[in-house]
Amino acid sequence: MRLTRRDLSLWEKRNEQLRSLGADLQRAWSHPAATAATRKRIMRACLNEIIVRKEGAIIDMVLHWQGGDHTGLKLQLKLNAAGRHHYPIPKDMISFVRELARLMPDRQIARLLNRSGTSMALGKSWTEQRVKGFRKHHDIEVYRDGEWAERGEITLEAAAQIIGVHKMTALRMIRRGNIKGRQFCKGAPWVIKATDVARFKGQQQSRGPVTSNPAQQVLDFQ
């Protein structure tokens, strides 16, 4: 593909703009068209290494720039009354994790929080170990196998199996109010009382099949 004289002129003009931005790092950094990805590329291009040293609540950092210059930074961490690092906790996060810990293990909690876009302080993503640390710090009991059964609760899949329908059919029954069920948040498992399912199944048996055609197949659209 041959470039026209106009194309070459625009190309030279664009290159000149880029060269001028490269000579003025602050202007390139704060340029309206600069995205977060652009700024990361600028940092990777300009920095050689960052040396970090932590002593108590003080973090000392030395930024080594390409070319040999370096910049020293000092950060004072905020501590709570117990002398621990204090990071702001989103509103209701403690009660949120406390509720999830009654439904699923730490690994699943971490996945749900990450999928929902709920990050930790300083923007960190959740991991199984971070959920575990969060629980311990806020005295939240760990999930135990069998506690659903102790509370007389079952999952949507188990309810569907008891009734003898597909889980999507059981979900429609919940949404119509045929069966009581609750979902703490999007992505969390549906919680259904086993007694409610047993009662509904008994009513259906006295009335006949759930559908007019027991041989009817249910398609699961996801």
Side-chain angles (χ1 to χ4, degrees):
M1 177 174 139
R2 306 179 72 182
L3 297 176
T4 65
R5 189 172 295 178
R6 180 174 180 274
D7 291 333
L8 288 173
S9 176
L10 291 173
W11 184 78
E12 286 293 337
K13 183 178 180 181
R14 181 178 178 82
N15 274 357
E16 182 60 32
Q17 291 175 339
L18 291 174
R19 282 193 291 268
S20 65
L21 286 173
D24 188 346
L25 182 59
Q26 184 175 356
R27 189 156 64 96
W29 182 271
S30 58
H31 194 277
T35 63
T38 301
R39 294 189 176 96
K40 288 180 181 179
R41 293 179 64 184
I42 291 174
M43 294 298 293
R44 284 195 291 265
C46 295
L47 280 170
N48 182 36
E49 66 176 348
I50 302 176
I51 299 176
V52 180
R53 184 180 62 185
K54 180 177 177 296
E55 293 184 2
I58 303 296
I59 294 181
D60 285 311
M61 292 181 288
V62 180
L63 283 62
H64 289 267
W65 302 93
Q66 299 288 356
D69 288 342
H70 65 274
T71 303
L73 297 175
K74 190 181 295 289
L75 176 63
Q76 171 76 47
L77 294 177
K78 185 177 180 181
L79 302 180
N80 57 22
R84 298 175 181 173
H85 299 162
H86 172 73
Y87 301 114
I89 299 174
K91 186 178 180 180
D92 296 331
M93 177 56 72
I94 297 175
S95 59
F96 191 79
V97 174
R98 192 183 303 278
E99 181 71 19
L100 291 178
R102 303 280 57 79
L103 302 174
M104 60 185 73
D106 293 344
R107 180 177 297 181
Q108 294 180 27
I109 293 175
R111 291 174 181 171
L112 188 151
L113 292 173
N114 289 328
R115 285 198 304 267
S116 66
T118 304
S119 61
M120 299 185 68
L122 304 181
K124 293 181 179 179
S125 61
W126 291 90
T127 64
E128 181 179 1
Q129 289 303 315
R130 286 172 179 167
V131 171
K132 181 179 179 181
F134 185 92
R135 279 194 307 93
K136 288 189 173 182
H137 183 70
H138 297 287
D139 297 321
I140 300 174
E141 292 293 330
V142 66
Y143 172 81
R144 295 180 294 102
D145 288 335
E147 64 176 290
W148 278 58
E150 292 173 6
R151 297 191 299 263
E153 297 170 344
I154 59 176
T155 63
L156 176 67
E157 291 79 4
Q161 187 175 5
I162 293 172
I163 300 170
V165 297
H166 192 275
K167 73 173 185 178
M168 296 305 295
T169 303
L171 180 58
R172 286 194 291 271
M173 291 176 175
I174 292 174
R175 289 173 174 166
R176 288 198 302 262
N178 301 124
I179 308 172
K180 293 181 180 179
R182 65 181 180 88
Q183 186 182 39
F184 176 66
C185 65
K186 185 177 180 180
W190 281 93
V191 179
I192 306 165
K193 287 290 185 181
T195 52
D196 291 339
V197 176
R199 186 182 303 111
F200 179 81
K201 182 175 177 62
Q203 292 172 351
Q204 289 298 319
Q205 287 176 339
S206 63
R207 296 174 185 172
V210 175
T211 61
S212 56
N213 182 3
Q216 179 180 345
Q217 296 183 351
V218 178
L219 298 180
D220 184 4
F221 295 98
Q222 297 187 13

